[in-house]
Amino acid sequence: MLDAQLRREIVLTTENRTGLLAEISRLLADMGINLLSIVVIAVDEFAIIRLLASSHSHASDALRGMGFSVEERDVVVMELPHYPGFLSRISEALARKDVSLIDLHATVSEEGSTGVVVFSCSDNGRRAVQMLRGR
């Protein structure tokens, strides 16, 4: 059985500028908030920043206080064994249940035995979490 969790991700769409990530990460660090996951996508003058924080509500409030427009969405967070083919087994299981992936990011150290996968999907994650937990 897998430990799939439904979490809330913070999504910022903002002006792309030098030092943006430094400002955000300093604000959260000064508040004692850990970043569990972050994705930055910069396209021309815009940036999309998606992050999971150790204290979701405090991070959201702080970012709003800095003037960011904060959106939130459900994502599935899983820790997976690190060996060839495990991600394909998960993605194939989701496809068989007609759950479409919207986006996904994952990381693992080369020597690590597990990796972390964060994804959003067509059913906002609820059915995916139940299926991945074996329920």
Side-chain angles (χ1 to χ4, degrees):
M1 192 169 347
L2 298 172
D3 183 22
Q5 300 175 13
L6 192 61
R7 302 280 308 261
R8 295 292 286 168
E9 181 178 65
I10 297 168
V11 181
L12 309 174
T13 303
T14 187
E15 166 192 29
N16 183 21
R17 56 185 164 72
T18 302
L20 177 63
L21 182 58
E23 286 176 33
I24 291 168
S25 58
R26 172 55 47 210
L27 170 75
L28 298 177
D30 288 348
M31 295 178 68
I33 298 172
N34 286 328
L35 287 173
L36 307 174
S37 169
I38 187 164
V39 175
V40 178
I41 302 168
V43 179
D44 300 324
E45 67 272 6
F46 295 100
I48 299 168
I49 301 172
R50 300 188 335 247
L51 59 95
L52 289 174
S54 59
S55 178
H56 175 81
S57 60
H58 287 102
S60 292
D61 291 345
L63 291 165
R64 281 187 185 97
M66 282 185 71
F68 288 105
S69 173
V70 175
E71 295 178 38
E72 299 178 11
R73 67 183 188 150
D74 289 336
V75 292
V76 178
V77 179
M78 304 177 60
E79 191 169 327
L80 297 178
H82 182 211
Y83 62 81
F86 204 86
L87 183 59
S88 69
R89 286 181 44 208
I90 298 302
S91 57
E92 289 165 355
L94 291 169
R96 280 192 301 275
K97 295 292 186 177
D98 202 29
V99 175
S100 300
L101 291 172
I102 296 170
D103 57 61
L104 178 145
H105 62 278
T107 189
V108 63
S109 68
E110 197 165 338
E111 297 81 26
S113 61
T114 61
V116 176
V117 177
V118 178
F119 67 88
S120 64
C121 57
S122 58
D123 74 340
N124 291 331
R126 296 185 196 294
R127 189 164 47 115
V129 167
Q130 290 175 345
M131 192 249 337
L132 293 168
R133 286 183 176 170
R135 295 181 184 158

